[in-house]
Amino acid sequence: MSGSPDDLEKMSIPATPPQSLRKVLIASANPLFARGLQKMVAEHWGRRGAEIRLADSMEQAIEALNTWKPDLVIVDYDDVGRPGAIQRETFLSHFIAGERPMQVMLVSLRASGEVVVYDRRTLTPDQAEDWFDLPWTVQSEISEQTQPPRRNRMRHFVIVGLLTAVLTALVYFLLTTARLYPVAASVQAGPIDAMINLQVGLISFLFALIVSFISYSVIFFRQKPGEKGDGPFVTGSTRLEVLWTLFPLVLVIYLSFAGAQALAEVRQPEAQVLQVKVTAFQWSWLFEYPEYGIQSNTLYMPVDRQAHITLTSRDVIHSFWVPEFRVKQDALPGANLVKEVRITPTIIGDYKVRCAEMCGGAHAYMESPVKVVSQADFDAWVQAEMNAANASPEQRGERWATTNCTSCHALDGSRLVGPSWKGVYGSQITLADGSTVTVDDAYLLESILDPNAKIHQGFPPNVMPANYDATLTEQQINDIIAFIKTIK
Amino acid sequence: MTKLYRIGLVRGLIWQAVGTAVGFGLFTALRAVLGLAFKAEPAWVFGMMFGAIAFLVGLGAFTDWFRWAKGEATPEPEEVQDPPGALRFFGISFDHKVIGIQYVANSLLLLVVGGLFALIFRVELARAGMQFLSFLWFNTFIGLHGIVLIGSMLLGGAAIGNYTVPLLIGARDMAFPRLNAFAFWLSVPAVVLILLSMPLGGFETGWTGYPPLSARGPMGIQAFFAGVWILGWSSVLGGLNLIATILRMRAPGMKMFRMPILAWAVLATSIITLTATQLIGMSFQLVMFERLLGMPFFEPARGGNPILFQHLFWFYSHPAVYVFVLPGFGVISELLPVFARKPLFGYKWIALSSLGIAIVGFLVWAHHMFTAGMEEYLRVPFMYSTLLVAVPTGVKVFSWTATLWAGRLRFATPMLFVTGALVIFLTGGLTGPPLGVVASDLQLHDTYFVVGHFHSTMFGGYVFPFFAALYYWFPKATGRKMNEGLGKLHFWLMFPSFLVMSLGQMWVGLHGMRRRIADYDPALGIETAQLVVTIAGFLIALSILVYLYNLVTSLRRGEVAVGNVWGSRSPEWQIPSPAPAHNYPAPLQVVGEPYDYGLEGSRYVEIGSGKAVPQAGD
């Protein structure tokens, strides 16, 4: 019989030695191997009185065979023609020549993994007949033997199939009730939400499929305690590989195609759009309506009318995003890098636009209100803004200051990023270098155009933008100065 | 004192500190001589680069080359004897197994440091409102968390490759042992520079370093750029070495499709690191030049374009994520057969899918830029290519499942981590398509949904397999086993906590939580979820503490394990543990297929002719 080292113990050495098997000779030229074997045999049979002897040369082994007459000889043989080395052939010829029951177990360290047992027994005719009924274990039958019968295999698949179906439904239910997105408040949200929903279905199924197979395996295909030996010899299946390559390939092509269509719908322009120019800057937003010549720090949008929003930045990359509208677009600096996004709001209400691209500092707080109103309310608002544009310098100045300055300069005396304007006009302030100066029109003008020139002591340089000469008109600046003078 | 100085690492760090000061001074002196005013930033950049080179000189990384330049002979790497005991790990060693362990140490260090940064800012985010961090420091910590963990993953992948590949293919060492040591030691000064970004003022851009924001603002960004630039070289050179080793040093009879699957994974990874890493170095270098020399590559007002940076950056940084996960996938493929006692299902297909992922991974980078403002028509082809990556990845996931199916599964700690990795990666991978489809990405980009997606793919593709590898090969490296009970505790703490954290991140992202924000509107209704995510993060940290405790105690008192503890057919388990220097006493003979578990009487390799058990002193 032959087998692997795992079988060493269960095949050749029975749990209790037969009454007669008490003398074990270990013949090995390798002292480590011999002692290891001795330890193993002693562990198994030591308590039952087995006697173990060692022989490390052919001479000693033959001598022990003839005089001591062991019941089991474990031979470690090696072919390196050393004088005195244990020779397999010589040994076996002695074994064949004898008549007592005896077993020889051949182990080779070189071709390790194979153990050959020769079992010499004298049988009665009845025992011989029984011997013919001993099961065969032939190499070629092994894979069939270790594979469970076909019907059992099908049963596993049926159960996992059911499990997959149930888990798909459960995951799908959980995902769809988990509120994966806020209310859809734009036309553009339609195709986007449709794509998300489609994918939720696919994800539910694929997740359930794999998790079901893995969970089933983990529970039902565990090695039982005490069980040794390997699983079935299954190396692969070309058919299955082709299937699970082609099927996902078709799926992803379809998904991309559907995604491209959705994108086209999202980008679809309409006639009769409202033009809005959005400028992002650290850390707020400015909205301009070029058709009406008005500016605002709140984004007013008429419902059910597409707004064509152009995006630019005064400094670093920002990104425009209202979650209820879905679409998102980065705003870049540079007159040649103006980007656009189209939004058709569908639900009247208040929203927030928040910056969605890391822009340093107060990026977390870079937000502005968005108001979707009826067309009538929108027209009324536009009219009011245009009237305000014709107002006094102080009133206009208040408007410009609210959009450009008051996020950093408080009107009520509190300290924000920059000094408060309350009572500042005409006052004496200390500068960074210790000198004092009176805040007059010239000082205010200089401080707007060149903020670092005469910084108020205790405030950091290089924070206030230094490009207002480019972003504000002369009139706007004068209006702002007029407004500052009114804050007592 | 002199005893400390004899340690390579100590010497290197001292030289780096001195070198940085000298470089800084030299540069400033040069400017003074030319009549120019003092400028801190370029002096620091010059000093940092000078200091990094000084580290390598002080360590001794250039000593052999200096000798050759003088015409002197040096010993062959094989002839060099490492100092005994733990000392060998703190200086230059040419032994791939020592270098592999050095990579592990650096990787675990970065894992802990990067994780600590996350714990800090997650405490800030657990409640709405700003509690204790300023904007600058919040932004710096999220950026450092990102890059430090990226570094940890690169080094961990290098650890897996360098330690195992020569053992797997029957080689005595890597193709270029000196280069191997050099590539490792580059990573140490690089890490110092990255962390130097903190005292130099922090940086506000996150790890992606987009200009124009990175071209202005605090000087810490230069330390970040310089550190990453140097770390990249470690990746490039390591990849080169691994490719040469795998292609040229396999044992006779070990054809490409007969080598352990992990070698295929490492090969695919190395192709990427060899060819793509240069792009991130270049993109960062251009911003450094913009800051130092006023070259307006990314400044629109002077003819530049910030989108150019993003193309250059992501051309590496997307393939980089495959660098992170391909070795982990290889570990999963390598370990499943051992613990399922079943052949790896579809070996050839899995091997080729690693190459497939690497190749297709080069074609998808602009899916990070769908909202960036690049040409609109470009978005569609990148969507197709992005979704295409799912095909070879799916082949792997299906194959792993088929390997498990009908096996005889044994759940030792490595197997727990590998199975957990499969489930977690599945979750992360399935959240990819919503990001890859442009329309849905418009909603999801730059939200915490992305954060949930990549944490899931990284933990499933790297972190869990990395721990599996550490538990699995620990006996090979040390001759001891790690404690099973603690290993199981590590897993059962980390796995559910991670799922909670990742799903929580996705949930808050879907409910309006943007990325890289220090504070959020309580009206979003996500405060409780944020607290849960933070707590889950702390539990993950606790599980890693359990691991580190297990590591330290097992090194001293672990159960002795000198044989084939896992019953693996792989070559490295046919020799005793700890693996001897130069690995195999005689060339491997390949006599069968690597994963024929269940085929009675089959073997994969024989250890040459002659003695089976290597004698002491090999």
Side-chain angles (χ1 to χ4, degrees), chain A residues 292-365:
Chain A
Y292 309 107
I294 56 183
Q295 284 186 341
S296 169
N297 61 353
T298 299
L299 178 58
Y300 275 85
M301 299 174 79
V303 71
D304 296 327
R305 185 151 159 236
Q306 192 182 82
H308 177 233
I309 296 176
T310 58
L311 294 159
T312 189
S313 164
R314 281 189 198 151
D315 36 47
V316 299
I317 301 177
H318 301 272
S319 191
F320 180 98
W321 184 46
V322 179
E324 291 80 1
F325 299 162
R326 304 289 188 266
V327 290
K328 184 182 282 121
Q329 178 57 50
D330 286 7
L332 304 175
N336 58 329
L337 295 176
V338 174
K339 300 298 160 186
E340 58 154 35
V341 68
R342 293 176 183 274
I343 301 177
T344 311
T346 52
I347 302 178
I348 291 174
D350 293 340
Y351 308 91
K352 279 208 166 60
V353 58
R354 293 191 166 109
C355 177
E357 181 59 51
M358 178 51 144
C359 53
H363 166 63
Y365 293 149

Side-chain angles (χ1 to χ4, degrees), chain A residues 39-286:
Chain A
K39 189 167 157 217
M40 188 173 71
V41 173
E43 265 172 22
H44 282 270
W45 293 341
R47 257 181 265 122
R48 292 178 169 87
E51 227 184 290
I52 306 167
R53 279 201 198 169
L54 302 176
D56 63 6
S57 69
M58 203 56 214
E59 249 177 31
Q60 271 194 18
I62 303 295
E63 164 77 23
L65 260 185
N66 292 332
T67 55
W68 191 51
K69 300 195 199 304
D71 306 303
L72 168 66
V73 186
I74 307 178
V75 181
D76 152 35
Y77 66 92
D78 85 55
D79 278 351
V80 184
R82 268 187 319 113
I86 314 282
Q87 300 285 358
R88 166 170 52 174
E89 287 73 24
T90 319
F91 223 92
L92 288 178
S93 65
H94 276 267
F95 169 77
I96 289 168
E99 279 165 11
R100 292 182 305 116
M102 182 172 124
Q103 283 172 322
V104 172
M105 182 188 294
L106 296 180
V107 182
S108 165
L109 284 182
R110 220 177 18 94
S112 49
E114 283 205 339
V115 173
V116 182
V117 175
Y118 296 84
D119 190 358
R120 182 176 69 200
R121 286 188 262 178
T122 310
L123 301 174
T124 67
D126 284 333
Q127 284 173 326
E129 216 178 296
D130 291 338
W131 186 86
F132 276 111
D133 291 332
L134 280 175
W136 292 77
T137 10
V138 176
Q139 198 84 350
S140 56
E141 289 172 359
I142 285 176
S143 49
E144 271 182 29
Q145 269 208 331
T146 51
Q147 279 266 56
R150 195 174 181 78
R151 226 180 13 167
N152 281 346
R153 299 212 301 272
M154 284 316 293
R155 199 190 57 199
H156 290 307
F157 283 113
V158 166
I159 298 178
V160 174
L162 283 171
L163 189 58
T164 303
V166 168
L167 196 57
T168 302
L170 181 64
V171 173
Y172 186 74
F173 172 73
L174 282 172
L175 286 177
T176 43
T177 50
R179 193 167 68 85
L180 300 177
Y181 33 70
V183 68
S186 75
V187 165
Q188 287 74 22
I192 290 176
D193 290 357
M195 284 309 298
I196 294 180
N197 293 338
L198 170 62
Q199 291 175 87
V200 163
L202 290 171
I203 288 171
S204 303
F205 170 67
L206 288 170
F207 182 82
L209 179 72
I210 302 292
V211 168
S212 296
F213 271 88
I214 293 177
S215 309
Y216 192 88
S217 303
V218 161
I219 297 172
F220 292 106
F221 293 131
R222 294 183 97 102
Q223 188 174 58
K224 316 276 187 294
E227 188 182 42
K228 293 200 185 356
D230 294 345
F233 179 62
V234 174
T235 56
S237 155
T238 307
R239 193 164 49 114
L240 210 49
E241 298 279 359
V242 169
L243 263 171
W244 71 38
T245 302
L246 278 184
F247 180 63
L249 182 63
V250 167
L251 191 61
V252 298
I253 292 177
Y254 161 69
L255 196 58
S256 305
F257 186 73
Q261 283 190 312
L263 181 61
E265 275 181 63
V266 164
R267 296 291 297 129
Q268 186 71 21
E270 282 171 28
Q272 298 297 327
V273 296
L274 169 72
Q275 299 287 350
V276 184
K277 180 174 169 224
V278 174
T279 305
F281 54 94
Q282 287 169 317
W283 288 279
S284 192
W285 302 88
L286 175 66

Side-chain angles (χ1 to χ4, degrees), chain B residues 520-566:
Chain B
Y520 49 88
D521 186 355
L524 290 174
I526 55 177
E527 233 181 324
T528 311
Q530 295 274 18
L531 180 61
V532 169
V533 168
T534 300
I535 292 174
F538 272 87
L539 288 175
I540 292 174
L542 181 64
S543 76
I544 293 182
L545 276 179
V546 169
Y547 168 78
L548 290 172
Y549 173 78
N550 193 357
L551 181 67
V552 168
T553 51
S554 300
L555 278 170
R556 296 157 180 276
R557 304 194 299 260
E559 172 196 331
V560 172
V562 298
N564 189 351
V565 288
W566 310 116

Side-chain angles (χ1 to χ4, degrees), chain B residues 364-544:
Chain B
V364 308
W365 78 90
H367 66 231
H368 299 271
M369 298 162 59
F370 281 153
T371 64
M374 61 176 177
E375 282 75 7
E376 286 220 36
Y377 61 82
L378 280 180
R379 305 200 277 193
V380 174
F382 277 105
M383 170 172 60
Y384 274 90
S385 60
T386 299
L387 292 177
L388 193 62
V389 179
V391 176
T393 314
V395 164
K396 283 193 193 289
V397 173
F398 292 132
S399 300
W400 292 331
T401 308
T403 304
L404 283 174
W405 181 260
R408 298 251 180 98
L409 311 188
R410 317 174 304 178
F411 281 97
T413 301
M415 178 62 161
L416 279 176
F417 275 93
V418 155
T419 313
L422 235 181
V423 173
I424 290 175
F425 183 76
L426 177 69
T427 315
L430 287 176
T431 53
L435 296 164
V437 170
V438 183
S440 39
D441 185 60
L442 295 182
Q443 176 67 351
L444 301 171
H445 176 75
D446 233 276
T447 66
Y448 244 67
F449 184 84
V450 182
V451 175
H453 162 76
F454 67 69
H455 278 86
S456 215
T457 45
M458 291 300 104
F459 268 73
Y462 171 80
V463 177
F464 275 75
F466 184 61
F467 280 116
L470 289 176
Y471 283 104
Y472 182 77
W473 274 294
F474 183 84
K476 186 84 293 183
T478 63
R480 293 178 185 277
K481 273 182 92 164
M482 291 188 74
N483 181 286
E484 264 299 300
L486 288 176
K488 292 191 154 78
L489 176 64
H490 174 191
F491 176 79
W492 287 111
L493 256 180
M494 193 184 234
F495 179 66
S497 305
F498 178 76
L499 282 174
V500 166
M501 183 178 93
S502 178
L503 292 172
Q505 288 168 334
M506 293 180 207
W507 195 88
V508 299
L510 289 165
H511 289 236
M513 175 73 176
R514 296 163 289 146
R515 287 179 74 170
R516 302 182 170 132
I517 53 175
D519 190 17
Y520 49 88
D521 186 355
L524 290 174
I526 55 177
E527 233 181 324
T528 311
Q530 295 274 18
L531 180 61
V532 169
V533 168
T534 300
I535 292 174
F538 272 87
L539 288 175
I540 292 174
L542 181 64
S543 76
I544 293 182

